[in-house]
Amino acid sequence: MTLSALVAAHARSHPDGIAFAEAAHDVALTWREYDERASAVAAVLAERYARGERVAIQMPDGPDVHVAMLACERAGLVGAGIGPRAGAREVDHLVAKTGARVLLTSLPDTTAGGALDATRSLARDELWFLNSTSGTTGLPKCVMHDQARWFAFHELAVASGELTADDVFMSLLPAPFGFGLWTGHCTPTILGAPCVLLERFDPTAAIRAIEQYRVTVLAAVSTQFVMMLNATELAEHGLSTLRVLFTGGEMVPADRAAEWEARTGSLVLQFYGSNETGALSATTTSDDEAVRLHSAGHVLAEMHVRLFDADTEVDVTESGGPGISACKGAVTCLGYYDDPAANVQLYTDDGWMRTGDLCTIDEHGVLFVVGRTSDFIIRGGKNLSAAVIEQECSTMPGVLLAAAVATPDDVFGERVCVFCAVAPSVSFTLDELRAHLAARGVGKELWPEHLVLVEGDLPRSSGNKVAKAQLRAQAKTL
């Protein structure tokens, strides 16, 4: 079955059951309403666009974005998801890159819609969805998904968290991205379970919604659950119904994860992987605390995980690494859309999909991430390319050279610090730099949060490259 067929089945078997609830506005969508709205929107789209064409979707995280995604599936159209916080330049790029015929920022008027041809609906193994992923240079790449990979991922999730139709989900992730796709759009629908959403994350609102809707399964990046731990509201609400927190997207802070378990009574679980690879390893409810909180979990046999030497691409799996982790299996994506050069970088010569992370695997099959080869700053679960930030900041008048590095942060994991080499007498503030980036249409996620001006040149290594290790050490003191 497909997601579309499952929604129709739920609409018949329990029409008044809740499919989605948006907590901030106290809006609920039943399975019958979800089914009917999606069909009405699909009919409108099908009248305007040929099967297989792309429809870009940039909408807030509420029930409507899921209606739009399901409508595209039913109309035989490929959804192209764009994060709600994407800047104008990123939106323009993704619309052009995917060849989208239209950008939906809200649901279209369906009063004049006709009948829907059910034969147009996408099959489980067809190209179904496109979303973006951060690149080390340039604008985002587009990742191709079929539904089959997310049905396979769902099976892993059920086993990891002992998930059932009796669970109540809450997904705090943007719907178009991998973590949001499985926790908001796919797994709850496959199970026929309700999913609670927040249009915009707020730790206090999330805590109250967990209690109001008696949420049992929460999905949040590490930054979000740390912010919830820091909220005074948590002491007033025990979150007694919660039994599992799925987190990830960035390094999980073990001490805060242990605190979460102690204060809420729920287990902290994670999948290690990416938008492209899906999952290479996972922690489960049967794992002990050492595995759950201090590793990326046991490698998944069905993903055939390998480690490759970073320089020679020799398989070093037997030695336990360290090496670049890679995999082959049912939960990987279909590659990058219309981007042969990027696909060459994604795959090894013999077809293993790379992660870009340096990992080790111990004698018990437990995977540890020990470093990364790409120059990314991971802020709040979002991979931010240092090269892209540097490129944009270098357009600021008076900047000779820019270097972006991560500075540690207790809440967001990492924040963006930019060092700008400037000509003598040139001076500007962080706010002025950010205003410049805003005027260029650069999304807020790429705006630096710390700025250091250096007159002349940035420090250099012996090879005359910017000494980023030195800058990172300095950034830690800010």
Side-chain angles (χ1 to χ4, degrees), residues 17 23 64 91 114 134 146 149 162 198-199 230 276 302 315 329 341 358-359 396 407 420 453 461 474-475:
D64 282 0
V91 173
S134 300
D146 58 11
R149 76 175 298 215
E162 300 180 85
L198 279 179
E199 185 173 300
N230 292 343
E276 293 91 334
E302 50 269 76
D315 190 328
L358 279 170
C359 299
M396 181 74 176
T407 183
C420 290
L453 299 182
S461 67
Q474 185 176 342

Side-chain angles (χ1 to χ4, degrees), residues 43 166 459:
D166 294 327

